[in-house]
Amino acid sequence: MAYRSQWMTDEIEAFRGSFQRFLTKDLAPHAERWRNDRIVDRSAWRALGEMGALLTDVPEEYGGLGATFAYEAAVTEDLTRFLPEMATSVSVHSNIVAHYVLAYGSEAQKRRWLPKLASGEWVGAIAMTEPGTGSDLQSVRTSARRRNDAYVINGAKTFITSGQLADLVIVVARTSDQPGAKGLSLIVLEAGECAGFRRGRNLDKIGMTASDTSELFFDNAEVPLENLLGEVEGQGFVQLMQQLPRERLGLAVGAVAAIEAALDMTVDYTKERRAFGKPLIEFQNTAFKLAERKAEAVIARVFIDWCVGQMVTGDLDAVTASIAKLWCTDKQVETADECLQLHGGYGYMKEFPIARLFVDSRVQKIYGGTNEIMKLLISRSL
Ligand SMILES: Cc1cc2nc3c(=O)[nH]c(=O)nc-3n(C[C@H](O)[C@H](O)[C@H](O)COP(=O)(O)OP(=O)(O)OC[C@H]3O[C@@H](n4cnc5c(N)ncnc54)[C@H](O)[C@@H]3O)c2cc1C
């Protein structure tokens, strides 16, 4: 079927050609070591920056590429396929952290932080989740209280993507005693200069092992008052709600790319592997399972392309982003499971890409707002 995403341009296609070659040749050969070390080389971030693959839809005056979200979608798809080890952390860095700074930062803040994130000199992280609260963001307890010309931050965060490598961390903290959402603010912490900020364990995950995920501790960590994002305190929850659709769409874009990758590798495998004297794909069960998944993949592709188009024009609403995150990540996990099954025992071996895709996929239903929270958000709109 000849199909081209409606957001695809000749320019993006040309970029993707060289980007895919770069990922395969320059970075992917290190992936196994990164998985064993449970962290990627910092130099990989700088290489991605040099390649123009970070902060693609951030204006050039701040070091970005000045392109649209379509570029960002292309980068997410290619990382998912050719370097899944960095797909999530790059998405957090470019699609989330940079966009909080871009949307709410002052001119001085944007000029100070975005070029460093764009070049890969700095790695960005966002710290919302705490040991005691994840889905219920309004219950965040980490506090940031004014003392002289600084915020003094106290508390603990967990499950933070790039927590070990991060140079810049956007911390969701309570700046007043106002209950619930009203007391929350976003504060940028520069890790290199911050006494009282400590990184905890690099958590041992079942999948996405090359992506460091950490505990962070704040023990009277002092951050200058001018590192507040937005002009006044108490805007944190609203800022999070405004940006989460972008994050959710990013996850859904990655999900569709993973579905397509799982299908391709399984079609190849079942054409090659033989049982009872014929290729596996000639068994009706195998062929029908793949046909069903192919139908879903095509539907997911057309829907996600439409969502990307909506994002490019600024029309993507929060409910549609939640629908995309819910459906595409559910389908990703189902597809990964079924494709692994069609590989037989080899599918369970870590050296086979389908095995890694299976374990890496599972978290997609959990982070970025769990899929149960997506259902809550969608049902409220009915
Ligand atoms: C690999 C990884 C990377 C992550 N990266 C980051 C990061 O960079 N920054 C960050 O801040 N966080 C990050 N997270 C945290 C992630 O966003 C949270 O794990 C997620 O939001 C769920 O929160 P929780 O783990 O506290 O689960 P809980 O909120 O305790 O939920 C447990 C279960 O209860 C369900 N549940 C909760 N509330 C409801 C409800 N109202 N209705 C129905 N069901 C409900 C949930 O859906 C889930 O099934 C990451 C997590 C992982 C695993």
Side-chain angles (χ1 to χ4, degrees), residues 159-220:
F159 302 153
I160 307 307
T161 298
S162 298
Q164 295 293 313
L165 279 176
D167 306 280
L168 181 152
V169 184
I170 299 179
V171 183
V172 180
R174 201 161 278 291
T175 40
S176 81
D177 290 329
Q178 285 201 300
K182 289 195 185 122
L184 296 178
S185 300
L186 305 185
I187 297 172
V188 173
L189 181 147
E190 295 185 20
E193 302 175 356
C194 191
F197 166 67
R198 186 165 61 82
R199 304 171 204 268
R201 288 177 298 159
N202 181 3
L203 298 162
D204 195 8
K205 306 187 296 298
I206 59 170
M208 290 207 332
T209 46
S211 171
D212 57 302
T213 308
S214 304
E215 302 168 319
L216 301 179
F217 298 104
F218 309 87
D219 191 6
N220 289 320

Side-chain angles (χ1 to χ4, degrees), residues 138-156:
Q138 299 193 24
S139 298
V140 158
R141 291 180 59 184
T142 296
S143 66
R145 291 306 152 92
R146 284 167 175 263
R147 191 198 294 153
N148 304 322
D149 54 358
Y151 285 110
V152 180
I153 305 182
N154 280 289

